[in-house]
Amino acid sequence: MDTSPWRAPLLWRGAQTLARAAVALIGRLEVTGDVPQALRRGPLILAANHISPFDPVVLAAACRLRRVAPRIMATGGLFRAPVLGPLMRHAGHIRVDRGTTAVHRSLEIAAEAVAGGSVVLVYPEGRIGLAPGMWPERGKTGAARLAFASGAAVVPVAQWGSHEVLPYRAPKGMLRGLARALVRRPVVRVHFGAPVALADLDPGAPGAARRATDRIIDAITDDLAPLRPHEPDGPRHVDPGRPVDPSRAHRRHRRG
């Protein structure tokens, strides 16, 4: 049996290079922070905030700059697309059918992937965030449970600016958004933070997954603040098609 660690296929590494070119075409990418060299090939969990349909392209480009090739936990709709679906599967990405019982199987597959040495990218919010001000909203516990199941480190990834490229309702309005970005060339910022401290939590204790999730979202929020210093209350760029859902607004938690 082959026990060698998973390595990203050439197709996915090539796609990351194309993502860098795409972001450079429509904006200016600024990447700060880093992934510890010992973790770049996994096992590792990258936990990112989700603000735009353009996020996967931005994160693919940023990860390429940091020499990381993550397997992305992506919505099942992408895998059902005629051409994109087979490409996603070949690249090793992990299908997530939200709102179904199959989502539990997705976590099992992700845990197996991380245990096999992969880097897996997750969106702890479970959707494009709709909290007021576009700050990270209260997360789902999937990323925390994945960390507990695999024992892998969790590196928070904060991003800002991709919402100025594609609107929330893309593909509706996509061409207009891209044209606008080509002219204005927005700055898209990504920051890789320090690994989140979870070792003191007992995975079997009641509420452990929720406490771990809150720490992950707290870390992303803390790393996001310096990326949007002049937009603390809300984004300058307002997408009229983006709904607001305050029901999942996240409150900063104290350690414990």
Side-chain angles (χ1 to χ4, degrees):
M1 182 177 63
D2 183 11
T3 58
S4 59
W6 182 86
R7 290 292 175 258
L10 180 61
L11 173 69
W12 176 221
R13 297 197 302 272
Q16 285 188 277
T17 300
L18 289 176
R20 283 186 59 187
V23 177
L25 179 66
I26 54 83
R28 293 161 287 167
L29 179 62
E30 296 181 358
V31 180
T32 54
D34 206 349
V35 176
Q37 187 171 0
L39 299 177
R40 288 177 186 169
R41 291 196 170 187
L44 176 66
I45 300 166
L46 298 176
N49 62 317
H50 202 358
I51 61 175
S52 164
F54 197 60
D55 291 348
V57 179
V58 169
L59 292 175
C63 285
R64 182 63 176 166
L65 288 172
R66 290 299 180 261
R67 300 185 178 183
V68 178
R71 302 171 70 174
I72 301 174
M73 295 189 72
T75 181
L78 296 177
F79 289 83
R80 291 190 291 271
V83 177
L84 183 59
L87 293 176
M88 293 282 289
R89 285 188 288 272
H90 179 75
H93 301 309
I94 300 167
R95 176 173 175 164
V96 181
D97 291 301
R98 297 188 179 98
T100 71
T101 56
V103 72
H104 299 291
R105 178 56 185 156
S106 300
L107 284 174
E108 293 174 0
I109 294 171
E112 292 168 1
V114 176
S118 294
V119 178
V120 172
L121 171 65
V122 301
Y123 297 109
E125 295 163 282
R127 66 177 184 179
I128 294 178
L130 301 178
M134 288 184 62
W135 289 97
E137 63 184 13
R138 180 165 49 89
K140 301 286 188 178
T141 59
R145 288 186 283 131
L146 176 59
F148 286 155
S150 64
V154 178
V155 167
V157 184
Q159 60 171 329
W160 187 247
S162 62
H163 61 292
E164 297 188 39
V165 179
L166 288 184
Y168 173 81
R169 299 192 184 280
K172 182 179 180 180
M174 181 174 69
L175 294 180
R176 183 183 303 172
L178 289 174
R180 179 183 183 276
L182 281 168
V183 173
R184 300 194 177 186
R185 295 188 54 76
V187 178
V188 180
R189 299 181 174 92
V190 178
H191 179 78
F192 293 87
V196 182
L198 301 176
D200 61 306
L201 295 176
D202 177 5
R210 171 47 53 192
R211 287 192 289 274
T213 300
D214 289 340
R215 289 187 188 180
I216 293 169
I217 297 297
D218 284 347
I220 296 172
T221 302
D222 289 347
D223 289 338
L224 177 60
L227 303 186
R228 47 180 294 185
H230 305 299
E231 304 171 83
D233 299 320
R236 288 190 301 259
H237 174 75
V238 177
D239 178 356
R242 186 190 194 95
V244 174
D245 178 8
S247 67
R248 285 177 53 183
H250 174 74
R251 291 185 177 182
R252 185 71 167 82
H253 290 73
R254 293 182 179 274
R255 178 73 180 271

